[in-house]
Amino acid sequence: VTAAAAPVVDRSRAENLDRADPLARFRERFVFADPDVIYLCGNSLGPPSRAGVAAIDGAIAAWSRRLVDGWEDWLDLPSRIGDRMAGPLLGARRGEVIVSDSTSVNLYKLAAAALGAAAPRSVIVADASDFPTDRYVLAALPAALRLISDGGTAAPTAASVAAVLDADVALVCLSHIGYLSGAVADMAAITAVVHDAGALMLWDLSHSVGCYPIDLESAGVDLAVGCTYKYLSAGPGAPALLYVRSEQQRRLRQPIWGWFGQRDQFAMGPDYDPWPDVRQFLVGTPPVLALAGIGGSIDVVAEAGIGAIRAKALALGELAMDLYRAWLPGLGFRLGSPLEGPARGSHVGLRHGDAQRIHRELGAAGRIVTDFRFPDTIRMGLAPLTTRFVDVWDALAALRQLSY
Ligand SMILES: Cc1ncc(COP(=O)(O)O)c(C=O)c1O
């Protein structure tokens, strides 16, 4: 690298990027009680959106006013919110998405249903470096788990998945964006090789929904789940999305037979007779206040536009990578994420032998909130609607200072 080609690393570059940022105004749509905190954890828990808070307040007011009559409006919220999310955020059709339960429970429902429909196939392929809940839930199913491993910082590829497929595989379950590395998997290419082998494909969208363009329909995806409390800012523990492609809905039967999956719910009949559509994947009473919060945030993401959100994620990541290369490798840091922008989602993993101490001191001294993932990764979420370029600069400068 010549001196002329070296990236500019002084803070004015970040300030200029903030001034030119078409999404800068969206930060005001979110609530930060302490403006001095630099929040780089939106990939774990998004900050509250003002629209989400207003929607939750509205739901509380409706609860106090209408009491039990409120259920006239609330019963179908999981489908209504799912339909609002389907087009703009998932590239899905109406009637393919519901919002219910946690991602872990939705993953169980879908994986068990897929397994049931695929008999006598009885192997599930998953990623050894995927989020723990995904591996645990799949391991508990009556199937043999076949784990692939691409070494931690790279996403699985169509070739690495194809290499483990055969006529025994019922289901492949992978994360679209890796929770630790931020590496992006090629959804369409992997789904295609899985279908060629006669298996179903289930994607965990937890780290991509709201920050990365997703087109489930054109990618041919069968099943998907994902958290809403990360880039969708739906609030701590808000219920998760669940997607079932229309063509698969009648073939599958989920294992938790609850009364919200029942076609004629209030007939209180003796036998379980589920909806012949995505609603069969509902189980019990929906969390109305949390669902209201999701509704508010979906609109903010849709208004900003997922294309603009992705463009800013790339720009934030490029700044982080330039600063990383200029300052950190000589101080014991290694990159835990792909270096190339297109291969990375909205978060970055930085690895260091002393990561736990550095993470703690970042929070204490610099009031910079990141997260630490055992054993050596500091994860920084660069959430495009709320993260400023100067936040990235200040955080990397603090990392440089704290590494000794
Ligand atoms: C990729 C991924 N999948 C699943 C989960 C678990 O979600 P939940 O706790 O809502 O079940 C998480 C949580 O952070 C996650 O990052």
Side-chain angles (χ1 to χ4, degrees):
V1 179
T2 64
V8 179
V9 293
D10 61 279
R11 198 169 187 274
S12 65
R13 173 175 164 199
E15 290 163 0
N16 290 336
L17 285 165
D18 277 324
R19 266 193 294 275
D21 173 15
L23 296 186
R25 66 193 170 90
F26 279 92
R27 187 177 159 87
E28 285 164 18
R29 305 281 195 91
F30 293 83
V31 184
F32 289 98
D34 182 346
D36 294 331
V37 166
I38 294 177
Y39 191 63
L40 298 179
C41 238
N43 58 306
S44 179
L45 179 67
S49 70
R50 293 190 193 282
V53 171
I56 293 169
D57 284 347
I60 292 173
W63 168 25
S64 53
R65 205 174 52 248
R66 302 197 56 197
L67 297 168
V68 76
D69 288 344
W71 282 111
E72 284 168 17
D73 292 335
W74 298 328
L75 275 179
D76 63 350
L77 263 182
S79 299
R80 274 180 14 232
I81 300 286
D83 281 341
R84 268 167 74 183
M85 191 183 285
L89 297 182
L90 300 171
R93 292 166 281 181
R94 286 178 69 81
E96 293 187 324
V97 182
I98 54 165
V99 181
S100 70
D101 304 307
S102 63
T103 299
S104 306
V105 171
N106 286 344
L107 190 88
Y108 171 72
K109 291 184 290 190
L110 291 184
L115 203 57
R121 291 174 177 243
S122 61
V123 170
I124 297 179
V125 170
D127 180 355
S129 50
D130 209 339
F131 190 77
T133 213
D134 299 48
R135 293 180 281 110
Y136 303 158
V137 163
L138 298 175
L141 290 167
L145 202 52
R146 194 176 286 171
L147 293 176
I148 55 170
S149 173
D150 284 85
T153 56
T157 62
S160 68
V161 173
V164 299
L165 295 176
D166 59 29
D168 294 330
V169 175
L171 176 72
V172 176
C173 176
L174 298 171
S175 278
H176 186 201
I177 294 184
Y179 86 99
L180 198 55
S181 65
V184 184
D186 186 337
M187 178 181 279
I190 293 175
T191 302
V193 296
V194 169
H195 286 169
D196 285 348
L200 290 174
M201 183 72 220
L202 194 173
W203 286 101
D204 184 334
L205 308 175
S206 294
H207 292 271
S208 56
V209 64
C211 77
Y212 193 91
I214 297 171
D215 194 341
L216 296 174
E217 187 173 1
S218 76
V221 172
D222 303 297
L223 309 164
V225 295
C227 301
T228 60
Y229 47 74
K230 299 175 183 294
Y231 294 100
L232 291 183
S233 276
L241 71 92
L242 177 151
Y243 163 86
V244 182
R245 191 176 194 79
S246 299
E247 293 77 1
Q248 298 294 346
Q249 291 177 6
R250 282 177 181 274
R251 289 182 61 215
L252 302 183
R253 175 62 76 95
Q254 71 120 328
I256 308 176
W257 293 6
W259 73 313
F260 272 72
Q262 176 80 347
R263 192 195 306 247
D264 193 358
Q265 180 179 9
F266 290 98
M268 304 299 195
D271 298 316
Y272 183 65
D273 173 29
W275 291 105
D277 55 40
V278 75
R279 288 172 290 179
Q280 69 143 304
F281 290 89
L282 295 167
V283 179
T285 306
V288 171
L289 303 185
L291 281 162
I294 304 179
S297 303
I298 292 171
D299 293 344
V300 182
V301 173
E303 184 188 334
I306 201 69
I309 288 174
R310 175 62 182 157
K312 182 168 174 189
L314 285 167
L316 288 164
E318 186 183 335
L319 177 66
M321 290 301 102
D322 284 350
L323 298 177
Y324 163 78
R325 280 188 291 184
W327 294 336
L328 300 182
L331 297 172
F333 276 99
R334 280 185 301 135
L335 197 54
S337 297
L339 182 63
E340 306 306 326
R344 206 179 340 99
S346 276
H347 66 270
V348 175
L350 297 171
R351 305 177 68 181
H352 192 285
D354 212 7
Q356 196 157 18
R357 173 193 62 80
I358 296 170
H359 164 258
R360 204 175 40 242
E361 292 182 10
L362 266 182
R367 308 183 73 198
I368 297 171
V369 183
T370 58
D371 64 16
F372 168 73
R373 284 289 173 265
F374 188 82
D376 63 357
T377 300
I378 295 173
R379 214 171 44 157
M380 290 189 170
L382 312 179
L385 292 180
T386 52
T387 305
R388 296 163 297 202
F389 290 92
V390 289
D391 295 338
V392 175
W393 197 95
D394 291 344
L396 275 281
L399 277 184
R400 181 188 191 189
Q401 228 175 8
L402 290 169
S403 312
Y404 41 79

